[in-house]
Amino acid sequence: MAKYPKFLMEHFQNPRNVGEISNPDGVGTVGNASCGDIMQLFIKVNEDKITEATFKTFGCGAAIATSSILTERIKGATLEEALKISEETSHEVLSHLPKEKIPCFTLATDALKLAIEEYRCKQVGIHEGGGFDSMKIEKD
Ligand code: FES
């Protein structure tokens, strides 16, 4: 079994921000193709700042710990800052994870990107009423 540093173990044993936000401003859902696990990350945004961030996952301990760390760090950050924090956290956390666990961490960062994207689409009116939800692909 891989040996994880203390800070990752602590977040795995006491994960923060687990659960769903009711009426979120953005949700990112991603899957890990190598194991089939799923991650959902929820954000609440006020004046460009993330006021709440939570996650749900069927993922492993590495996915739980890294999602807990990321959701803690992005609370209070602007959307741009959150993306930067996500990148910085990637560098920090990935240096402690065994190679095979890297996709487990990128679940959280990818889900965050999608949640922010969804929020931004809603802001410009792409997402609701005529956006991605209602797109239909015509067959020949
Ligand atoms: S093994 Fe599936 S998310 Fe880590």
Side-chain angles (χ1 to χ4, degrees):
M1 194 174 130
K3 199 167 164 34
Y4 295 107
K6 233 179 180 177
F7 80 100
L8 278 174
M9 282 307 290
E10 205 279 313
H11 275 271
F12 169 57
Q13 288 165 337
N14 303 295
R16 279 68 136 186
N17 312 311
V18 177
E20 239 173 89
I21 293 175
S22 66
N23 206 12
D25 294 314
V27 183
T29 304
V30 289
N32 182 344
S34 60
C35 66
D37 290 334
I38 291 175
M39 160 81 61
Q40 272 194 309
L41 195 143
F42 306 83
I43 55 171
K44 201 87 180 156
V45 181
N46 186 22
E47 292 183 7
D48 202 46
K49 277 195 178 168
I50 297 178
T51 55
E52 259 186 274
T54 65
F55 73 96
K56 282 197 329 190
T57 185
F58 290 110
C60 64
I64 292 168
T66 53
S67 306
S68 171
I69 291 168
L70 187 62
T71 50
E72 275 290 280
R73 291 183 178 178
I74 60 173
K75 273 192 274 177
T78 63
L79 298 175
E80 278 313 308
E81 286 167 350
L83 291 170
K84 203 165 173 243
I85 290 167
S86 176
E87 212 174 286
E88 288 164 1
T89 304
S90 289
H91 292 300
E92 180 190 346
V93 169
L94 293 182
S95 66
H96 295 286
L97 289 178
K99 255 194 190 129
E100 68 274 12
K101 288 291 176 189
I102 290 174
C104 309
F105 173 67
T106 51
L107 276 181
T109 54
D110 290 348
L112 174 63
K113 272 187 215 149
L114 288 178
I116 290 175
E117 219 168 89
E118 186 185 82
Y119 168 75
R120 286 179 168 157
C121 286
K122 281 180 178 175
Q123 292 305 294
V124 292
I126 296 173
H127 192 71
E128 289 173 339
F132 301 133
D133 291 343
S134 63
M135 277 202 293
K136 287 188 182 121
I137 296 171
E138 301 276 328
K139 288 191 178 166
D140 306 317

